[in-house]
Amino acid sequence: MAGRRYLPEVERVDGPTPAVRRGPGERTEPRPPALAQAAGNKAVTAVVRRSAKRPTVQRHSSWEHALMGDVKPGDLASATGRIAPANQKHVLTQEVKRVDYFRTDPRAVPKTGPGELFEGIQILKLTGSELYVTYGEVNALADYLPNGHDINTMSATDLIPILQHMRQIIAASAISARDNVDADSYDGDFPQWSGGQREPTKAKVIRGASAGAADLIVEDAATASRGFQRYSGLLSRNACHFAPMSWERWSQNHSRAVAEAQRAHGFRAAGDTRLAGSETQAWVHNGYADHFLEDSFAAGHLINKTMVMQWFMEYLRTRHPLLVKAQMPDADMAKAMNPSAQRHVAGQDLYAAMASAQAAEQGRPGPPPPKSVSTDLQTASEFRGRNAGGRLDATDRAALAGVRPVPGMTERQVSHQYQRFLADALLHMAAGQVHDHFNAMTTGGLLVENGLGMRFRVGGDNTQLALSDARGAQVVVEAVNLSRQVIAETLATGQSTVSGREVLLMVPTKVVLGSGAYDLETWNQTTIRDYCDKIFPEVYSSVSASIVQESGALPTTPDPDLADTR
């Protein structure tokens, strides 16, 4: 059975980014959706370049995604900070050895026989590049590339700089965690890996985890040919890495993997030569999907990022005349994107959709499913429309992402303000501060409850092993393995005994506080909102001076589809 689809039945876009058709003699260029504007991305990058802190858009770090995709549940559980340190050292050392295998030769063929380094690890040979990657590396690549199709079909020339740089990051981060060296200060002096994207100012690996500001710059350079799907564009649109949108992002891409697996099964039955390529694509789609399943277990990803950005926009607008004078944010953005006007952009309806789906899966009473739900802009950009070009135009993309009409503004004007809202680095910084707090809770991880009633503690980016308890580390890998079971069974028989909704039952949907368990929507509207009210003055004080003095206001350029008609 395929994973539940919450979105309308509209066709997904596969393949290269559609181009903008221009007049005779004019150049054809990739069309960016509402946010991934070059100037908007530069604004985010420029602020991060100036900041000594980590970038504000975070996810599980690459090394943790690789572990969750490659390590057995029991092995990861035994490697948490609450168990024997020797187990953790062994698991991390093996992770370093696996990525180091490709240091001098990104085209190396992993050995999977008994006693070999990659024994028991799922290896995929990508179709376009003919490079070998582990399933966990596909999980991790979802932070750098927009979809499973691109991961599987990119040429070796395009993929090697990204892949090798990611492997460098995984090695440095795993060594940092293993040797108990702070990731932000770790200065692993690795030589440049073969084919890896060079850091602009150093020949050594980016120090520490992907949290380093230089990582954003390097990966953006490595993915510049991807147009609006380049690394900085993905970061700007990364609400899909946070619950509740991460649930839907997994569901959509898992469903794609199931459909491809069914197609491959048909090829097998018919003796079709396209079987191998279709099998690979099914696994890569699912490896990409499972990244978002893993994100759904990270403490800092249980906050509703878009909601936090809306709250901080209101805080700045109402309490700081300096920023109002500098038009940061301006009146039009505040009018178009405030929480009262745009409830759906934060995906709140997905909370009800999840509760309804889980109740149906367990055969118990539950809330009715919402009549319609919104999605994030990254997902919205991948659907086809009914226009001649086949792709949704900017206003349709914004509408699918939950943007609603605002009195006194046209659809195009509201959509334009939406992309400006997402391009505002200051708003991303506020969400990043909240994210970082819950990823690094000194009380020992966040106590959560999933749809099965299981309670466990979870850490977050760079703190999964340190702050998760054994059950918390184990259940995420069990969820990933259940997702993989769906694909394996579908490839073999054309169907699976496991449904996508069964996988989602394992995802945390409540936070335990005292003697009670509170659903994530309530937790965000109460605990997170109260926390934001306390830290927003500090966030403003820490970043406002440098931003206002150096740039006055963050430069924002509208989507080419959205002329500024204010």
Side-chain angles (χ1 to χ4, degrees):
M1 297 173 63
R4 177 179 174 84
R5 294 190 59 150
Y6 299 137
L7 290 175
E9 292 292 336
V10 285
E11 187 180 359
R12 292 291 292 265
V13 176
D14 261 337
T17 303
V20 177
R21 297 297 177 187
R22 304 185 181 277
E26 292 185 285
R27 188 175 56 177
T28 298
E29 298 177 348
R31 172 190 293 185
L35 190 321
Q37 238 328 288
N41 293 335
K42 288 177 182 177
V44 178
T45 303
V47 173
V48 174
R49 281 179 189 266
R50 293 192 294 269
S51 174
K53 298 182 178 181
R54 65 178 61 191
T56 61
V57 201
Q58 306 282 336
R59 299 140 326 270
H60 265 314
S61 293
S62 298
W63 66 282
E64 292 170 318
H65 279 292
L67 281 174
M68 287 183 278
D70 289 339
V71 176
K72 296 177 181 178
D75 290 345
L76 194 62
S78 71
T80 65
R82 302 164 187 270
I83 314 294
N87 293 342
Q88 182 178 116
K89 184 173 183 178
H90 172 74
V91 167
L92 293 175
T93 296
Q94 291 301 106
E95 181 71 9
V96 172
K97 288 180 178 179
R98 284 194 291 270
V99 292
D100 189 66
Y101 182 86
F102 300 98
R103 177 197 294 259
T104 59
D105 184 8
R107 301 177 187 272
V109 180
K111 297 178 181 180
T112 59
E116 298 286 359
L117 179 60
F118 292 89
E119 179 185 3
I121 303 294
Q122 183 174 3
I123 302 296
L124 300 171
K125 183 179 181 181
L126 301 177
T127 302
S129 63
E130 298 187 336
L131 299 175
Y132 290 90
V133 294
T134 71
Y135 190 83
E137 287 179 327
V138 175
N139 294 168
L141 279 169
D143 268 339
Y144 304 90
L145 293 168
N147 53 64
H149 181 274
D150 278 21
I151 293 172
N152 189 40
T153 61
M154 286 176 70
S155 69
T157 300
D158 288 339
L159 183 58
I160 285 175
I162 302 166
L163 181 60
Q164 289 294 86
H165 181 65
M166 184 188 78
R167 285 168 170 162
Q168 286 181 271
I169 291 171
I170 291 173
S173 302
I175 291 173
S176 171
R178 183 193 66 188
D179 297 343
N180 197 29
V181 180
D182 180 70
D184 286 338
S185 61
Y186 177 69
D187 197 15
D189 194 7
F190 292 106
Q192 182 68 25
W193 284 27
S194 177
Q197 179 73 20
R198 285 187 176 276
E199 184 180 358
T201 57
K202 302 177 185 177
K204 64 176 63 175
V205 66
I206 300 302
R207 56 183 197 163
S210 58
D215 180 47
L216 189 156
I217 301 167
V218 171
E219 292 301 337
D220 199 46
T223 57
S225 64
R226 313 311 294 173
F228 80 87
Q229 300 282 31
R230 66 192 298 166
Y231 185 60
S232 56
L234 298 181
L235 288 179
S236 302
R237 299 186 302 277
N238 87 328
C240 56
H241 292 263
F242 293 76
M245 291 179 180
S246 58
W247 307 335
E248 180 65 12
R249 186 73 174 161
W250 174 81
S251 179
Q252 289 287 333
N253 283 278
H254 176 71
S255 294
R256 298 179 79 187
V258 171
E260 190 64 42
Q262 291 170 335
R263 184 166 174 258
H265 177 72
F267 288 155
R268 182 187 300 277
D272 196 307
T273 57
R274 291 173 289 179
L275 170 63
S278 189
E279 282 186 334
T280 299
Q281 186 63 76
W283 281 117
V284 176
H285 275 320
N286 209 63
Y288 175 86
D290 283 347
H291 176 104
F292 301 92
L293 183 63
E294 294 158 2
D295 275 346
S296 299
F297 286 83
H301 291 259
L302 301 184
I303 70 166
N304 190 311
K305 181 189 173 186
T306 305
M307 221 186 309
V308 173
M309 291 173 65
Q310 288 180 302
W311 293 337
F312 192 55
M313 179 185 68
E314 282 196 313
Y315 170 82
L316 296 177
R317 184 68 191 167
T318 58
R319 305 192 191 184
H320 289 286
L322 174 63
L323 291 184
V324 174
K325 183 177 180 181
Q327 294 293 290
M328 298 172 60
D330 62 32
D332 285 344
M333 185 195 297
K335 177 181 179 180
M337 295 308 301
N338 71 80
S340 297
Q342 301 297 347
R343 177 182 182 276
H344 296 279
V345 296
Q348 285 99 314
D349 289 338
L350 288 168
Y351 293 120
M354 174 69 104
S356 177
Q358 289 187 333
E361 183 63 32
Q362 295 176 311
R364 57 177 172 79
K371 293 181 179 179
S372 63
V373 295
S374 56
T375 188
D376 64 284
L377 183 58
Q378 180 63 36
T379 300
S381 70
E382 296 170 358
F383 284 85
R384 291 191 182 276
R386 301 182 184 279
N387 58 350
R391 188 154 176 261
L392 294 172
D393 65 21
T395 55
D396 287 339
R397 294 196 296 272
L400 189 57
V403 176
R404 298 295 183 260
V406 173
M409 302 181 79
T410 66
E411 287 185 353
R412 290 173 63 82
Q413 288 171 331
V414 176
S415 298
H416 169 56
Q417 296 305 326
Y418 175 52
Q419 72 93 23
R420 294 186 64 233
F421 167 81
L422 291 181
D424 194 309
L426 190 55
L427 304 184
H428 282 284
M429 284 185 174
Q433 292 293 318
V434 180
H435 161 279
D436 288 350
H437 169 78
F438 286 96
N439 269 348
M441 293 179 66
T442 57
T443 54
L446 187 67
L447 185 59
V448 297
E449 180 177 305
N450 66 11
L452 297 173
M454 298 170 59
R455 292 187 175 184
F456 45 88
R457 292 190 179 275
V458 293
D461 307 336
N462 290 313
T463 63
Q464 185 202 28
L465 295 184
L467 298 182
S468 296
D469 59 17
R471 175 177 279 187
Q474 182 168 335
V475 70
V476 59
V477 182
E478 289 176 344
V480 170
N481 284 351
L482 197 61
S483 171
R484 292 162 79 167
Q485 180 181 334
V486 175
I487 304 306
E489 290 181 352
T490 305
L491 286 169
T493 67
Q495 58 184 353
S496 176
T497 59
V498 179
S499 73
R501 291 194 299 193
E502 288 180 69
V503 178
L504 289 176
L505 283 172
M506 304 182 76
V507 169
T509 53
K510 295 180 180 180
V511 174
V512 180
L513 301 173
S515 60
Y518 301 88
D519 64 79
L520 288 186
E521 183 174 19
T522 300
W523 179 67
N524 272 276
Q525 293 284 4
T526 54
T527 301
I528 301 301
R529 184 62 192 263
D530 290 346
Y531 179 72
C532 287
D533 289 341
K534 293 177 182 178
I535 70 160
F536 280 169
E538 180 183 344
V539 173
Y540 167 76
S541 298
S542 67
V543 301
S544 62
S546 62
I547 293 176
V548 174
Q549 290 173 7
E550 292 188 34
S551 60
L554 296 177
T556 54
T557 301
D559 186 316
D561 285 349
L562 298 170
D564 191 352
T565 56
R566 288 175 293 172

